[in-house]
Amino acid sequence: MRVPKITHIIFFALAVGFLVISHYIFDDYSLRVLNNIAIFIILAVSYNLINGVTGQFSLEPNGFVAVGAYVAALILLDADAKNYQFDLESPAVFVLWLHSSNFLLALLAAGVCATILALVLSFPVFRVRGDYLAIVTLGFGFIIKILAINYPSITNGSLGLSSIPQHATLYYTGGIAIISVIMVLNIVYSKFGRAMKAVRDDEDAALAMGVNTFAVKTTAFSTSAFLEGVGGGLWACSFASIVPNEFDFYLTFQLLIIIVLGGLGSMTGAILGTILVIGGGEWLRFLDEPLSLFGHTFDAMPGLRMIVFSVILILVMLFAREGIFGKRELTDVARSAIKRLK
């Protein structure tokens, strides 16, 4: 059996084992943090597929996450809950009609809606490249947020939606995160994945060699949007409430930090980056509280956590310019280690 396959099997066996025992060894707060990490792993690996593997500097994830979150929430809330919550304007007829208590069906609908939007968007978006592509996709995220605020009959406007059924336990978020990573890795290591990397390395050369670059970019964009929509649905069903401001550019910025820190194009790096950024941010929360050092008690300094976190990020990027894993995967590290042992 090849080294990559063995490494993947061991990694996913450990991930499933951790998921099974997590409810027995962690308290509620830790489970909430792990739940959040699992959702961000889904978002990070999907964002890495279009940005890191295909090399398209896209800034759209917050828009697709918002679409997925609202679609899942509107499906899971029944008509009575919508009539009770919609204070700014009565819900539209199709919003009242839209209902199912099936959580997985709501997630699937969230992903499909995001995918359809991505397919439509890909025609104008991929007429430009580089920085222009970033600006166009950045605008998409703003448009979704503004639409969510200005159409209260569909989204309840700036008040958002609440009392969303909290189906997204760690078993669901962790399980879907594992499936997402397997799915993305299979794409990356396939023939289509090599076409994605060819587009990333030199799009003109790939076009000259007969690669349909538009089809490659559109497929990567749509696949990424599907997972981001599913991640948005999990987000809504994890926090039980959503408001438009949660889906502004800061969300995309967080994901950009994660994949750059881990290594653009590396799924292992995206997972590690998520654990460091999302988990590390929570672990450093004690810095915002009063501190006792060497017998002295210092007053609380709100924001100290973010200062320390930012300094750590700067140091990591100074000493690992291409991210912690670069473009390598865990399998590459394992293969190098085995070669050194021989």
Side-chain angles (χ1 to χ4, degrees):
M1 190 177 286
R2 293 184 298 121
V3 172
K5 192 170 286 187
I6 296 172
T7 312
H8 285 162
I9 291 172
I10 293 173
F11 173 76
F12 291 118
L14 289 174
V16 171
F18 178 78
L19 203 59
V20 171
I21 65 171
S22 58
H23 281 81
Y24 300 101
I25 58 177
F26 293 112
D27 57 19
D28 289 343
Y29 172 74
S30 300
L31 289 174
R32 292 287 301 171
V33 175
L34 290 172
N35 213 20
N36 207 14
I37 289 174
I39 293 172
F40 268 85
I41 284 176
I42 298 168
L43 301 180
V45 296
S46 59
Y47 188 39
N48 210 12
L49 187 66
I50 182 68
N51 208 327
V53 179
T54 317
Q56 305 303 304
F57 188 32
S58 170
L59 298 175
E60 95 299 337
N62 57 321
F64 290 130
V65 175
V67 169
Y70 274 99
V71 168
L74 288 173
I75 289 177
L76 291 171
L77 288 170
D78 60 28
D80 291 339
K82 289 168 190 167
N83 276 320
Y84 180 75
Q85 288 189 36
F86 278 52
D87 293 327
L88 301 175
E89 198 171 313
S90 298
V93 175
F94 81 92
V95 169
L96 290 175
W97 169 80
L98 199 66
H99 174 62
S100 171
S101 57
N102 190 319
F103 171 55
L104 293 179
L105 181 65
L107 288 184
L108 182 63
V112 169
C113 287
T115 305
I116 293 171
L117 199 56
L119 287 171
V120 173
L121 196 64
S122 61
F123 289 94
V125 161
F126 291 126
R127 292 176 66 86
V128 294
R129 298 181 187 178
D131 298 341
Y132 301 104
L133 176 66
I135 293 169
V136 172
T137 49
L138 176 67
F140 166 71
F142 283 120
I143 289 170
I144 294 295
K145 179 184 170 185
I146 297 301
L147 289 176
I149 293 173
N150 288 290
Y151 284 87
S153 63
I154 300 174
T155 62
N156 199 26
S158 57
L159 297 180
L161 301 170
S162 60
S163 302
I164 303 166
Q166 288 182 287
H167 294 302
T169 62
L170 184 59
Y171 289 133
Y172 276 113
T173 56
I176 294 174
I178 291 172
I179 293 170
S180 301
V181 173
I182 293 172
M183 189 176 95
V184 172
L185 280 175
N186 275 301
I187 294 173
V188 171
Y189 283 108
S190 68
K191 182 181 177 182
F192 188 76
R194 290 195 291 277
M196 286 178 172
K197 292 172 185 173
V199 171
R200 176 191 65 192
D201 295 338
D202 192 329
E203 186 171 343
D204 291 326
L207 195 62
M209 292 298 291
V211 176
N212 187 338
T213 56
F214 177 76
V216 170
K217 290 189 289 186
T218 300
T219 306
F221 193 55
S222 306
T223 306
S224 178
F226 177 81
L227 292 176
E228 287 162 1
V230 171
L234 288 171
W235 177 304
C237 297
S238 175
F239 296 104
S241 64
I242 50 174
V243 291
N245 285 337
E246 289 176 344
F247 307 109
D248 60 13
F249 180 67
Y250 180 69
L251 174 59
T252 295
F253 185 59
Q254 270 186 305
L255 293 172
L256 197 58
I257 290 174
I258 287 170
I259 64 172
V260 171
L261 179 68
L264 277 173
S266 169
M267 296 307 152
T268 312
I271 296 170
L272 183 62
T274 303
I275 294 170
L276 291 176
V277 172
I278 304 301
E282 287 297 326
W283 182 73
L284 292 174
R285 195 172 287 279
F286 73 94
L287 292 173
D288 288 344
E289 301 170 356
L291 295 173
S292 294
L293 292 173
F294 307 110
H296 298 280
T297 300
F298 298 91
D299 293 335
M301 289 180 60
L304 179 62
R305 173 176 67 112
M306 293 311 297
I307 293 173
V308 173
F309 187 65
S310 302
V311 170
I312 292 173
L313 286 180
I314 291 169
L315 290 175
V316 171
M317 294 316 300
L318 281 176
F319 292 100
R321 297 291 177 88
E322 294 186 347
I324 297 172
F325 269 83
K327 288 184 173 59
R328 296 178 303 165
E329 298 291 352
L330 187 63
T331 53
D332 302 318
V333 176
R335 190 186 291 113
S336 301
I338 290 173
K339 280 183 180 176
R340 280 198 295 270
L341 289 173
K342 286 182 178 177

